[in-house]
Amino acid sequence: MLEQLRLLVAQTSLTLTEQQLHQCIEYVKLLDKWNSAYNLTSVRDPQEMLIKHVMDSLVVAPHLNGDRFIDVGTGPGLPGVLLAIYYPDKQFTLLDSLGKRIRFLNQVKLQLKLSNIFPLQSRVEDHQPKQGYDGVISRAFASMNDMLNWCRHLPAPTGRFFAMKGAAVQEEIAALPDFVKVASVQPLLVPQLQAQRHLVILDPC
């Protein structure tokens, strides 16, 4: 699995150390182990997880600027855990409303020694941070419109929203609320994934 991950990373502009590669593999093994009991993801094959979860999360990394991020509706830590592995100096709050996912993420934090992730069980609208985030990230969480309305209070004044989406982004962009504007739409190339991916970056108005 390690060799496969090396080959996948080599097809991108990403650079991961040996330790980071091993942490990614350790994460996949933990996810696979917990998945049978906790049903954390519909992807059952660890080799498939490397493409659909690990690489699909990591390709966002070059587009993030700032130090403090929140991954809303993180599920089993996607993309937050992988981004925290890639950026050990940045902080990632991993928010989800389901206790079983937070229990899994606390185990991930412990076993992978990720001191920069902060699993948090909460509904997004109930989370009132003392300080706004540099980036609010969502992946397969909700429609962009819903995500923005629920998360409107989370970014710092100069913070941004990062919405990970599939192919049909234009319809969602057309329905955006008036308190944000599109900064850019970045096509994401995920090696060996037979599907389109985009990152929509939005600035509060």
Side-chain angles (χ1 to χ4, degrees):
M1 206 155 47
L2 185 61
E3 199 47 47
Q4 188 194 352
L5 181 57
R6 270 203 193 94
L7 291 169
L8 289 166
V9 170
Q11 296 173 56
T12 70
S13 61
L14 301 167
T15 307
L16 278 82
T17 64
E18 277 302 299
Q19 183 192 0
Q20 288 172 319
L21 290 168
H22 281 281
Q23 283 177 310
C24 291
I25 297 297
E26 190 67 24
Y27 170 74
V28 168
K29 287 179 179 174
L30 267 177
L31 183 55
D32 183 45
K33 180 181 168 185
W34 281 59
N35 204 31
S36 51
Y38 279 66
N39 196 26
L40 297 166
T41 169
S42 59
V43 180
R44 300 290 173 189
D45 177 9
Q47 303 282 345
E48 216 178 323
M49 288 179 188
L50 286 180
I51 297 165
K52 292 187 173 175
H53 289 338
V54 175
M55 295 308 300
D56 194 50
S57 296
L58 286 174
V59 292
V60 177
H63 302 286
L64 299 185
N65 43 357
D67 299 311
R68 295 178 66 257
F69 295 87
I70 183 167
D71 177 9
V72 291
T74 188
L78 300 166
V81 166
L82 284 309
L83 295 172
I85 289 171
Y86 194 82
Y87 286 124
D89 296 333
K90 297 182 190 294
Q91 295 183 4
F92 292 87
T93 296
L94 309 182
L95 183 141
D96 203 278
S97 60
L98 281 187
K100 65 178 183 178
R101 294 174 182 158
I102 298 303
R103 282 193 291 279
F104 169 70
L105 289 170
N106 281 321
Q107 189 64 28
V108 168
K109 177 170 184 158
L110 192 70
Q111 282 195 227
L112 272 61
K113 298 182 172 61
L114 288 176
S115 59
N116 62 330
I117 66 169
F118 306 92
L120 175 66
Q121 184 178 353
S122 173
R123 288 161 54 89
V124 66
E125 53 268 45
D126 295 335
H127 175 46
Q128 301 291 335
K130 290 190 177 77
Q131 181 186 353
Y133 295 95
D134 297 322
V136 179
I137 306 167
S138 76
R139 174 186 185 264
F141 170 54
S143 72
M144 264 198 295
N145 206 324
D146 284 346
M147 185 271 280
L148 291 164
N149 279 301
W150 293 334
C151 300
R152 184 177 183 175
H153 62 292
L154 294 178
T158 55
R160 299 184 124 176
F161 296 98
F162 297 88
M164 298 168 67
K165 289 289 168 185
V169 288
Q170 290 308 324
E171 288 175 27
E172 290 200 57
I173 286 173
L176 284 177
D178 58 10
F179 59 83
V180 292
K181 60 178 183 291
V182 177
S184 66
V185 180
Q186 302 288 344
L188 301 171
L189 192 61
V190 183
Q192 296 184 28
L193 184 69
Q194 304 302 316
Q196 282 191 322
R197 289 284 186 272
H198 293 89
L199 178 67
V200 183
I201 303 174
L202 303 134
D203 290 329
C205 293

